[in-house]
Amino acid sequence: MEKKNIDWANIGFSYQQTDKRYVSNYKNGAWDEGALIEDDTITISECAGVLQYAQTIFEGLKAYTTEKGQIVIFRPDLNAERLEDSARRIEMPVFPKERFVDAVVKTIEANEAYVPPYGSGATLYVRPYMFGSSPVIGVKPADEYQFRVFTTPVGPYFKGGAKPITIKVSDFDRAAPHGTGHIKAGLNYAMSLHAIVTAHEEGFDENMYLDAGTRTKVEETGGANFLFVTKDNKIVTPKSGSILPSITRRSLMTVAKDYLGLEVEEREVLFDEVKDFAECGLCGTAAVISPVGKINDHGKEICFPSGMDEMGPITKKLYDTLTGIQMGRIEAPEGWIKVIK
């Protein structure tokens, strides 16, 4: 299929409508067969559960063109499992894992012309999501739901290289200890909007959220997990019941251990420890790893030895290895790469 005439290097990280999207509706206790449609608009009741009580969940993954010219996606089974967990937590019907992967594949196939070519730095972002569509006025779950998948081509997250960012310790809490921080619900991201706008107004790129219970432990940012490197090259990531289990972070831990031979540790990380780490990064689908050069704690700066000019050496190895796996330059662990075409 001939590619769309798009300036792949300059499209940015924003929404661009593609030809097809997948839709399946849940009604009378069952999901329908689902179908690919052209209409990108949604018509729902003004009293829909998603509008009144934020009953919505989502996932995010990417389709890549590999060095061999194949179109692939990365670990979609984990996205499917995480959406299942999210659905159960906020009383939504589970969209089955096998159907989730099939819907993602069909949507990518239908928008193949929008998958950027290898070497462009761009990818096709895939957004599966689900929401309560039937009217709800009392505080309770909706009776009907819609599951959808759309795609949009996005440019390279880092233009001109991944420069380290500066973040601040937030005065706001991202998630409560027994709340919904561990699932990918829209309401979690709404909670973070004021905090991120405030951080940007103050000249920072992101927030570091501490645990809401004691405000002594590192949690995550509004949309990414933390990864730290100790001075003796051990990889450490925070552990908490209110952290979203990032697929990128879990994959990087496997890469660190099995490909780079590094010691890895997932544990509670006290904020007091952060000043002693050699490197810091934020893990997520969009950028894989965003290097952090500096953390501002209410005027007191923590500057990592890796500096503000480029990724630290261990972070760079992790980034290069995982992106090499995703792009087909490095052999992937079994089951990590699903070939679309």
Side-chain angles (χ1 to χ4, degrees), residues 95-149:
F95 194 77
K97 176 178 175 179
E98 295 75 17
R99 288 198 60 187
F100 175 101
V101 175
D102 181 62
V104 166
V105 170
K106 285 178 177 175
T107 309
I108 296 169
E109 288 175 337
N111 295 291
E112 181 187 339
Y114 292 91
V115 180
Y118 175 78
S120 65
T123 54
L124 186 71
Y125 187 82
V126 184
R127 170 56 60 86
Y129 62 111
M130 188 196 306
F131 57 89
S133 55
S134 60
V136 179
I137 196 65
V139 181
K140 62 178 183 178
D143 295 318
E144 298 175 7
Y145 296 85
Q146 192 168 105
F147 171 83
R148 298 175 71 103
V149 184

Side-chain angles (χ1 to χ4, degrees), residues 86-97:
S86 297
R88 292 188 184 100
R89 178 61 178 82
I90 57 173
E91 293 297 326
M92 302 174 79
V94 167
F95 194 77
K97 176 178 175 179

Side-chain angles (χ1 to χ4, degrees), residues 62-66 70-74 326 337-340:
K62 289 180 174 181
Y64 310 84
T65 301
T66 68
Q70 293 179 312
I71 296 173
V72 304
I73 49 178
F74 183 70
Q326 291 172 331
I337 301 297
K338 182 172 182 61
V339 178
I340 306 295

Side-chain angles (χ1 to χ4, degrees), residues 35-334:
L36 289 166
I37 65 170
E38 294 183 359
D39 188 1
D40 68 326
T41 60
I42 299 171
T43 302
I44 52 175
S45 167
E46 63 184 352
C47 198
V50 62
L51 301 178
Q52 302 307 315
Y53 303 118
Q55 202 178 14
T56 180
I57 56 178
F58 69 99
E59 280 296 324
L61 60 159
K62 289 180 174 181
Y64 310 84
T65 301
T66 68
E67 192 172 27
K68 296 178 180 178
Q70 293 179 312
I71 296 173
V72 304
I73 49 178
F74 183 70
R75 308 191 78 178
D77 56 315
L78 296 188
N79 292 98
E81 290 170 5
R82 193 166 62 180
L83 193 82
E84 288 184 350
D85 291 340
S86 297
R88 292 188 184 100
R89 178 61 178 82
I90 57 173
E91 293 297 326
M92 302 174 79
V94 167
F95 194 77
K97 176 178 175 179
E98 295 75 17
R99 288 198 60 187
F100 175 101
V101 175
D102 181 62
V104 166
V105 170
K106 285 178 177 175
T107 309
I108 296 169
E109 288 175 337
N111 295 291
E112 181 187 339
Y114 292 91
V115 180
Y118 175 78
S120 65
T123 54
L124 186 71
Y125 187 82
V126 184
R127 170 56 60 86
Y129 62 111
M130 188 196 306
F131 57 89
S133 55
S134 60
V136 179
I137 196 65
V139 181
K140 62 178 183 178
D143 295 318
E144 298 175 7
Y145 296 85
Q146 192 168 105
F147 171 83
R148 298 175 71 103
V149 184
F150 70 79
T151 60
T152 183
V154 294
Y157 195 84
F158 295 125
K159 292 185 178 180
K163 296 298 183 184
I165 61 175
T166 301
I167 66 176
K168 64 168 288 189
V169 177
S170 181
D171 291 322
F172 300 99
D173 293 328
R174 176 189 161 270
H178 302 289
T180 57
H182 63 295
I183 65 168
K184 205 165 177 67
L187 56 92
N188 293 340
Y189 294 80
M191 290 280 287
S192 72
L193 294 177
H194 178 64
I196 191 61
V197 168
T198 301
H200 289 167
E201 288 174 347
E202 295 174 354
F204 301 103
D205 298 293
E206 252 294 359
N207 287 293
M208 170 183 277
Y209 291 105
L210 303 180
D211 72 293
T214 69
R215 296 194 60 80
T216 62
K217 303 165 194 170
V218 177
E219 292 257 303
E220 60 167 276
T221 69
N225 285 184
F226 277 101
L227 180 150
F228 299 103
V229 181
T230 66
K231 290 176 181 176
D232 59 353
N233 295 340
K234 180 191 293 184
I235 310 300
V236 178
T237 62
K239 183 177 183 179
S240 165
S242 53
I243 292 176
L244 184 74
S246 163
I247 294 165
T248 303
R249 188 262 303 163
R250 284 180 275 171
S251 302
L252 286 166
M253 296 294 273
T254 298
V255 164
K257 182 180 178 182
D258 297 345
Y259 284 72
L260 303 179
L262 301 173
E263 187 177 348
V264 300
E265 192 173 21
E266 183 183 1
R267 60 170 174 80
E268 290 187 343
V269 175
L270 295 174
F271 178 67
D272 285 346
E273 295 180 68
V274 172
K275 65 183 184 303
D276 299 321
F277 290 123
E279 301 174 36
C280 174
L282 308 181
C283 315
T285 299
V288 180
I289 306 177
S290 298
V292 176
K294 189 184 300 182
I295 298 174
N296 186 295
D297 177 21
H298 301 86
K300 182 181 178 181
E301 289 189 341
I302 298 172
C303 299
F304 293 102
S306 50
M308 292 295 297
D309 294 326
E310 57 186 8
M311 279 189 178
I314 300 299
T315 304
K316 184 69 162 58
K317 287 181 181 179
L318 288 168
Y319 176 85
D320 288 346
T321 306
L322 186 56
T323 54
I325 289 170
Q326 291 172 331
M327 292 296 177
R329 296 188 297 269
I330 298 173
E331 186 175 354
E334 185 176 355

